[in-house]
Amino acid sequence: MNPAPVTTVDVLMTLLADCEDAWDMPDRSGDPVDILDHDRQCAEILRRDFPEDEELQVAGLVHDIGHMLVPGDDAGHGVHGGHAVRTLLGDRVARLVELHVVAKRYLAATDSVHAAALSPSSQRTLVAQGGPMTAEEVAAFESDPDFTAAIALRRADDAGKIVGLTVHPLDTWRPVIERVAATA
């Protein structure tokens, strides 16, 4: 079941605002911050580290909306989110949203330090998401044209879970979302 496409910036901004006090796990056993706070932290990390790549930043801002669209489907939240934003934000943003789960599986297979540092929730959901990649999956993913950006998004995703961190309000992202949407 795919959620309906998000077709306007206003609808996307409302959806993101609705992520305040919404959680990646319905019982709140997942990330220690709500989806909106987590997504803004992730986007700000990407803005700091990749100031020239607004598509990557916006992918960070929307990467977990799939949790809101189809609650309880952790394994499919990347696909659901990517499907929802593709029409408005374009194929690259949608693919990065989809690939943030794939990148987690990659890092679990190739970076033991990163894998050991995953939050308890991320460790638990990794199993439902397919577990660490096989050697064949690793090789295929490394050849993906969005590999580097997907890894950057994943690392920001894992870092953006700090309770009480001050981040910019959601409305400061509207001009960036509008620019990305205009070129999609």
Side-chain angles (χ1 to χ4, degrees), residues 36-51 53 56-63 152-153 156-157 159-160 165-173 176:
L36 177 59
D37 196 28
H38 169 62
D39 284 355
R40 288 183 302 152
Q41 287 184 35
C42 182
E44 287 198 23
I45 290 167
L46 293 165
R47 178 166 41 197
R48 178 196 69 207
D49 295 347
F50 301 91
D53 192 344
L56 177 57
Q57 296 164 29
V58 170
L61 184 64
V62 303
H63 80 279
L153 173 54
D157 182 3
L165 183 68
T166 301
V167 291
H168 291 95
L170 177 59
D171 63 350
T172 64
W173 283 98
V176 181

